[in-house]
Amino acid sequence: GDRIVVVGEHQPLSSHTGLVMISEDGGTSFEDITPFEDVSESVSKCTITPDGAVVVAGAGGFVGIYM
């Protein structure tokens, strides 16, 4: 589909460096959906479920679900 999700971290590394970006138009534009109050370190894993939910995980035990 047209949904693309990118996860990673801002450089240089410090607190709240995790990053979650989503595109609903095949990568033409991206929106930052990072919940900064919850993400204190890097985000390194992502999957899109068959029903379209986005599940991301990162350091420090962070897990986020976006519908």
Side-chain angles (χ1 to χ4, degrees):
D2 290 328
R3 182 173 276 188
I4 298 171
V5 179
V6 179
V7 297
E9 57 199 7
H10 295 278
Q11 296 290 323
L13 295 177
S14 63
S15 63
H16 299 286
T17 58
L19 182 65
V20 182
M21 305 287 289
I22 192 168
S23 172
E24 299 287 358
D25 57 13
T28 300
S29 63
F30 283 85
E31 177 185 358
D32 186 345
I33 60 170
T34 310
F36 288 106
E37 64 279 356
D38 296 331
V39 180
S40 61
E41 300 181 42
S42 66
V43 181
S44 57
K45 303 284 184 188
C46 172
T47 190
I48 301 175
T49 66
D51 66 352
V54 175
V55 181
V56 298
F62 170 74
V63 175
I65 301 173
Y66 308 89
M67 303 304 274

